[in-house]
Amino acid sequence: MYKTLKHTFTFLFSLILFSCNNNPNNNFELKQGDLLFQNTGTDEIDNAIKDVTATSLSKNYSHIGIAMKDEGKWFVIEAIPKEGICKTPLLKFLNRNKNKHNKSQTTVARLDSIYQPYISKAIAYGIERLNTPYDAIFLWDDNSYYCSELVYKMFSSQNLLKNDIPFLTHPMTFNDKTGKPMQSWVNYYKTRNQPIPEGIEGTNPNLMASSPHIKFIHDYENE
């Protein structure tokens, strides 16, 4: 019986060790150019963003940034309201919005190997535009940027053909399922004295998260 118990414990220990060694969370290491998708909360505009940008593959993201390492420390290049384009310390980024279990609502995706050679220039593009204003109107221009516009243009600026860019654009909508503008967006643009840019070309975090050229590799909520 002793031998049987010994073999059982040895087997269970080996199984646990195998599971730990094959847990992607234990082996995860952030890499230059990784995409950090974030659920920034449940306030009116965060929910409005998710409501009008959800795809069949992605529904919960309202923000995106890109990871970079500088002098041994990790940062996230991102475009956010009030601050514009900035280089945010990774910990500050992860602590921005957490769930009820105090876990960061952030998921990491990595571009396919074919796009890895473009990352250094993509990051340089973002660095050159630090302190550029945030685009609160979500227009497709180069005077200001919203989060996914910045990430898209970090790659589209490298003379890639449109079909070779790892992300898509499409006509934006601010309408609900009935085809009428959502009241939250009506209020949002009214306070800014701007028309709703319905149908204007653009992108968003959920559309980017649906790209076939990325692979999700880590979820900070599951750590």
Side-chain angles (χ1 to χ4, degrees):
M1 183 174 178
Y2 172 77
K3 289 185 177 180
T4 301
L5 287 173
K6 182 178 180 181
H7 290 157
T8 300
F9 287 136
T10 301
F11 172 78
L12 289 174
F13 177 78
S14 299
L15 184 61
I16 293 170
L17 183 62
F18 177 84
S19 299
C20 290
N21 287 338
N22 285 274
N23 185 338
N25 288 341
N26 291 337
N27 297 325
F28 170 70
E29 290 185 10
L30 198 63
K31 184 177 178 180
Q32 189 98 327
D34 281 351
L35 304 166
L36 284 83
F37 291 89
Q38 197 166 61
N39 181 344
T40 51
T42 57
D43 67 19
E44 186 178 22
I45 290 304
D46 284 321
N47 282 336
I49 290 172
K50 288 178 277 190
D51 286 343
V52 298
T53 64
T55 73
S56 60
L57 297 176
S58 178
K59 299 176 173 62
N60 296 319
Y61 299 123
S62 50
H63 185 58
I64 182 175
I66 188 166
M68 68 159 292
K69 199 170 190 179
D70 185 19
E71 296 184 351
K73 297 180 180 180
W74 283 105
F75 298 86
V76 180
I77 298 177
E78 58 176 342
I80 55 177
K82 296 182 181 179
E83 296 183 41
I85 297 179
C86 52
K87 192 175 78 170
T88 305
L90 176 63
L91 187 59
K92 180 179 178 180
F93 183 92
L94 295 176
N95 286 337
R96 184 174 295 146
N97 190 72
K98 294 185 175 183
N99 63 19
K100 62 182 180 180
H101 303 296
N102 201 36
K103 299 292 186 179
S104 179
Q105 298 184 80
T106 304
T107 312
V108 183
R110 186 162 293 164
L111 283 157
D112 289 347
S113 58
I114 191 173
Y115 291 105
Q116 293 298 313
Y118 296 95
I119 286 173
S120 59
K121 287 187 177 180
I123 290 174
Y125 181 95
I127 292 296
E128 289 171 2
R129 285 156 182 79
L130 289 177
N131 302 315
T132 300
Y134 180 78
D135 182 5
I137 310 302
F138 306 113
L139 296 178
W140 201 250
D141 58 49
D142 291 325
N143 298 318
S144 58
Y145 297 78
Y146 55 90
C147 66
S148 50
E149 176 190 6
L150 172 64
V151 174
Y152 182 94
K153 290 182 176 178
M154 289 168 83
F155 291 90
S156 67
S157 63
Q158 299 187 50
N159 297 318
L160 289 169
L161 296 175
K162 188 173 181 63
N163 289 339
D164 292 332
I165 298 169
F167 310 108
L168 295 175
T169 62
H170 68 181
M172 295 188 295
T173 185
F174 300 83
N175 296 339
D176 59 24
K177 293 179 181 179
T178 70
K180 295 181 180 180
M182 291 180 61
Q183 190 58 48
S184 52
W185 285 118
V186 172
N187 297 339
Y188 180 89
Y189 280 97
K190 184 176 181 179
T191 60
R192 289 161 176 76
N193 196 29
Q194 293 286 339
I196 296 176
E198 179 70 23
I200 297 296
E201 195 76 8
T203 189
N204 60 75
N206 281 318
L207 184 61
M208 288 188 158
S210 303
S211 170
H213 303 296
I214 66 173
K215 179 181 180 181
F216 281 91
I217 57 173
H218 186 70
D219 189 342
Y220 281 98
E221 280 197 274
N222 293 332
E223 284 190 342

